[in-house]
Amino acid sequence: MSVETTAPGTTGARDKEVRRLDRVIIRFAGDSGDGMQLTGDRFTSETASFGNDLSTLPNFPAEIRAPAGTLPGVSSFQLHFADHDILTPGDAPDVLVAMNPAALKANIADVPRGGEVIVNTDEFAKRAMAKVGYLTSPLEDGSLEGYRVHPVPLTTLTLEALKEFGLPRKEAERSKNMFALGLLSWMYHRPTEGTEAFLRRKFAKRPLIAEANVAAFRAGWNFGETTEDFAVSYEVAPATAAFPAGTYRNISGNLALSYGLIAAARQADLPLYLGSYPITPASDILHELSRHKNFGVRTFQAEDEIAGIGAALGAAFGGSLAVTTTSGPGVALKSETIGLAVSLELPLLIVDIQRGGPSTGLPTKTEQADLLQAMYGRNGEAPVPVVAPRTPGDCFDAALEAARIALAYRTPVFLLSDGYLANGSEPWRVPDTGELPDLRTAFATGPNHTLPDGTDVFWPYKRDPETLARPWAVPGTPGLEHRIGGIEKQDGTGNISYDPANHDFMVRIRQAKIDNITVPDLAVDDPDGARTLVLGWGSTYGPITAAVRRIRREGGPIAQAHLRHLNPFPKNLADVLKKYERVIVPEMNLGQLARLLRAEFLTDVTSFTQINGMPFKAEQLADILKEANRGQ
């Protein structure tokens, strides 16, 4: 973080120094009832409107409501914003806002020495500290000497600011997160109008609560202005050079994916149908799509995962762009119906927002460990294309690409996002509708085959010679009645067939259909003719790219490529792998892509893995890649 100091500004009757920074990483942390996610969201929204590039990392407790003041109940929100383009939410916070002892203990190890720590001193009572193992107060025993600590009685100050509203103490205390937001907004010169308008909208039915939150927010701002403890404020200029011209908004991965599904349905001129069962971290897609009935979206919250995908597959049979959303445990339950969709050869999107496993695992933490499940987690030979977005905003484009493949090739398609992308956010350029692909596909309208006796008939498994897709016949179309089900079909006629030769042919033709899907060649970023390639997929894109930039700034040559299509692989992948002496594959699993690459291309790759529920850190990856370069 580079710093530029300017002459003190004059705000009110005070002169305070203003320092210009190129980037900042802030982490808000508190109890799961302290409103840290809302605080982070609001700071993010104002930062986006100001024009900074940004990346966020919300971190939720796994328990619905862990005991207050305990380590399992800590909720945090990290935001990295800058005056240039950035790719990750940052490795370590420059500023930690700790609302209680548990938040301090859970996060202080991540703060580098010299970092700023804002502590709500009102919560550091003996009992609260003992609950997380503090025998003495860290605010008094010297353990925080290496940090710039700002002790702030947030609760007391909030209660004082809201005295005139006559709220019960417990109700007034809930606004302390807005006091903290106001203070941080002052520190970093964030706009305030948007937050005040948001609070009045959010609590429109409770105007007294709305005005109390606005008052707490303003009090936090004014506290920064007047207190001597905060002698410096900071400015981070807009990232004007980071963005091409266009209209931008802040967007999370799940929201971008939802918009991508709606756009895909519109571009295909089809109704969108979602059959889903709520599961973390995929539920936000169900929530968002349920708001858009005006775009022909129908959402069905089923009683379980199996019913959700069964309804979606029925909608696909009926002529809709059909989607089911879930996470890893739900994919396991859906596997039989995915196999049925393979047999029926109908377009169906299976959106898997991956999380830590196995079983229930880590519901609120991120992982990339469902790749092999998506590839092989069904009985029999049941190939399914797999597409993975790389950033929150890219979830929009990945949804369009998954829909393109499903519709053109009449196949279920896996879209593998994860919790990091789903909940993280970044600036996203709103595309012009003219930029979106045409996804329209024709339904069968009449006979497509002539028998030897000259009779025209409809064969439901007669294939397009280019895509090998079978015709999509909507139920109720006269003359196009045909049999469906999971028992093997006869090629062409679709009649039930137990003939060994036919089964052999149908298995091979379904595999050939997937193998022959047209996907773009893999692009390789290699400006210096490197000998080492780092190859990633999914949400590792940000940390990998940030690590590669660090190495190149230090003069080290290194190549980078990132896979969107994991089944089928790009046609040039084999040639790319052969070009480099060493290929390193970072993954948030135990090496699943690396295993696929070794099996498919008989090439040695070096697997670097992490499965701690958190995304890679750029510095960590940079060290690994530098060591690999030295080993050549």
Side-chain angles (χ1 to χ4, degrees):
M1 174 174 58
S2 63
V3 180
E4 180 184 341
T5 303
T6 66
T10 55
T11 48
R14 295 158 306 282
D15 288 345
K16 287 200 174 185
E17 181 184 344
V18 178
R19 295 180 185 173
R20 290 199 176 95
L21 308 177
D22 63 344
R23 64 181 183 89
V24 175
I25 303 167
I26 298 174
R27 184 182 299 177
F28 298 94
D31 194 70
S32 57
D34 284 339
M36 294 296 92
Q37 303 306 320
L38 175 62
T39 304
D41 283 341
R42 288 313 313 160
F43 196 95
T44 299
S45 294
E46 299 298 353
T47 297
S49 69
F50 188 72
N52 296 120
D53 196 9
L54 61 90
S55 179
T56 68
L57 178 62
N59 192 6
F60 308 94
E63 290 82 357
I64 292 175
R65 188 65 178 94
T70 63
L71 293 174
V74 173
S75 175
S76 67
F77 188 105
Q78 184 162 305
L79 166 68
H80 182 191
F81 61 102
D83 65 2
H84 55 278
D85 67 313
I86 55 174
L87 298 152
T88 74
D91 290 353
D94 302 305
V95 182
L96 170 65
V97 180
M99 303 295 282
N100 62 14
L104 180 67
K105 186 159 192 177
N107 293 279
I108 191 63
D110 293 336
V111 183
R113 292 289 172 170
E116 294 197 74
V117 181
I118 300 172
V119 182
N120 180 14
T121 55
D122 287 329
E123 296 296 321
F124 279 71
K126 198 169 186 179
R127 184 179 176 185
M129 291 188 290
K131 196 180 289 189
V132 295
Y134 280 130
L135 301 179
T136 60
S137 172
L139 306 180
E140 299 171 356
D141 63 10
S143 59
L144 299 179
E145 283 184 357
Y147 307 96
R148 289 180 288 163
V149 180
H150 301 279
V152 181
L154 286 172
T155 306
T156 299
L157 291 170
T158 302
L159 292 174
E160 182 66 26
L162 302 187
K163 189 183 297 183
E164 64 182 272
F165 290 88
L167 296 171
R169 179 185 175 92
K170 189 173 182 180
E171 193 80 40
E173 281 185 7
R174 291 177 180 166
S175 298
K176 62 181 181 290
N177 64 325
M178 288 298 105
F179 189 101
L181 178 59
L183 174 58
L184 269 292
S185 297
W186 171 84
M187 282 183 66
Y188 292 97
H189 295 246
R190 300 296 92 184
T192 61
E193 295 81 3
T195 293
E196 293 188 10
F198 167 82
L199 290 170
R200 291 190 173 102
R201 287 195 307 272
K202 180 177 176 64
F203 298 106
K205 295 182 179 179
R206 304 179 68 190
L208 184 65
I209 298 299
E211 293 308 314
N213 277 279
V214 169
F217 176 69
R218 290 177 176 175
W221 178 282
N222 292 332
F223 178 77
E225 285 273 272
T226 57
T227 182
E228 294 182 2
D229 191 40
F230 291 90
V232 178
S233 65
Y234 305 92
E235 287 184 348
V236 181
T240 52
F243 305 119
T247 301
Y248 285 81
R249 58 158 296 164
N250 186 53
I251 201 164
S252 69
N254 273 352
L255 183 57
L257 205 157
S258 300
Y259 289 174
L261 293 173
I262 296 171
R266 301 289 285 186
Q267 292 302 105
D269 197 19
L270 295 174
L272 178 64
Y273 184 93
L274 173 67
S276 182
Y277 180 75
I279 184 171
T280 301
S283 300
D284 285 343
I285 301 172
L286 171 61
H287 301 159
E288 182 60 34
L289 289 181
S290 68
R291 300 186 178 105
H292 296 288
K293 296 180 178 64
N294 56 312
F295 286 117
V297 179
R298 296 293 178 267
T299 54
F300 170 54
Q301 181 174 319
E303 66 269 27
D304 55 40
E305 296 280 6
I306 297 170
I309 190 172
L313 184 57
F317 179 57
S320 293
L321 176 58
V323 185
T324 189
T325 53
T326 189
S327 191
V331 175
L333 293 168
K334 295 179 188 290
S335 62
E336 183 178 5
T337 308
I338 297 171
L340 176 59
V342 171
S343 177
L344 296 181
E345 300 190 48
L346 286 171
L348 173 67
L349 302 186
I350 305 111
V351 177
D352 178 8
I353 312 297
Q354 300 166 96
R355 71 189 204 187
S359 186
T360 307
L362 304 174
T364 60
K365 310 302 179 184
T366 196
E367 206 165 271
Q368 286 183 299
D370 293 352
L371 176 56
L372 294 182
Q373 182 183 29
M375 289 285 291
Y376 303 120
R378 294 163 294 283
N379 64 296
E381 296 288 345
V384 175
V386 181
V387 175
R390 64 186 189 179
T391 68
D394 188 48
C395 289
F396 178 88
D397 296 317
L400 285 164
E401 176 64 358
R404 176 190 73 86
I405 293 172
L407 294 169
Y409 295 89
R410 313 285 197 276
T411 177
V413 177
F414 261 102
L415 198 162
L416 289 184
S417 180
D418 61 40
Y420 173 36
L421 295 183
N423 296 316
S425 61
E426 66 177 358
W428 174 66
R429 188 180 70 83
V430 179
D432 186 272
T433 54
E435 302 172 24
L436 302 179
D438 184 351
L439 301 180
R440 287 174 295 181
T441 185
F443 292 122
T445 57
N448 61 357
H449 185 77
T450 303
L451 297 176
D453 65 2
T455 304
D456 291 331
V457 296
F458 175 67
W459 273 16
Y461 281 84
K462 185 169 185 175
R463 300 182 180 277
D464 182 294
E466 292 186 9
T467 64
L468 301 182
R470 78 173 186 90
W472 192 2
V474 175
T477 306
L480 303 191
E481 299 84 356
H482 61 284
R483 184 187 301 272
I484 63 169
I487 297 177
E488 185 63 279
K489 307 298 186 298
Q490 184 181 52
D491 176 46
T493 68
N495 296 327
I496 288 175
S497 173
Y498 293 98
D499 176 60
N502 178 76
H503 178 60
D504 182 275
F505 176 81
M506 292 295 279
V507 168
R508 294 181 187 278
I509 201 71
R510 286 190 290 260
Q511 183 65 56
K513 180 174 71 170
I514 305 306
D515 291 342
N516 291 329
I517 290 172
T518 301
V519 302
D521 278 349
L522 179 64
V524 181
D525 177 20
D526 184 6
D528 304 308
R531 295 182 295 170
T532 298
L533 171 71
V534 55
L535 178 65
W537 71 277
S539 66
T540 58
Y541 173 78
I544 288 173
T545 306
V548 166
R549 287 181 179 181
R550 292 187 185 200
I551 293 171
R552 289 177 180 170
R553 281 198 299 266
E554 296 171 6
I558 191 162
Q560 178 189 2
H562 208 78
L563 287 165
R564 162 169 284 177
H565 296 90
L566 298 154
N567 190 35
F569 285 127
K571 295 291 189 290
N572 69 330
L573 180 55
D575 293 335
V576 169
L577 295 175
K578 289 176 185 176
K579 181 180 177 182
Y580 293 92
E581 296 178 18
R582 188 168 191 179
V583 178
I584 301 174
V585 182
E587 298 181 77
M588 293 188 292
N589 55 47
L590 290 180
Q592 296 187 14
L593 175 60
R595 185 175 290 108
L596 291 174
L597 295 174
R598 293 186 189 109
E600 182 74 16
F601 301 107
L602 300 179
T603 185
D604 189 26
V605 298
T606 300
S607 185
F608 178 67
T609 64
Q610 172 179 295
I611 44 171
N612 62 5
M614 298 295 287
F616 283 109
K617 293 183 176 180
E619 183 178 5
Q620 171 194 21
L621 277 180
D623 290 342
I624 295 295
L625 299 178
K626 282 188 280 190
E627 187 63 33
N629 265 346
R630 280 195 288 268
Q632 293 297 320

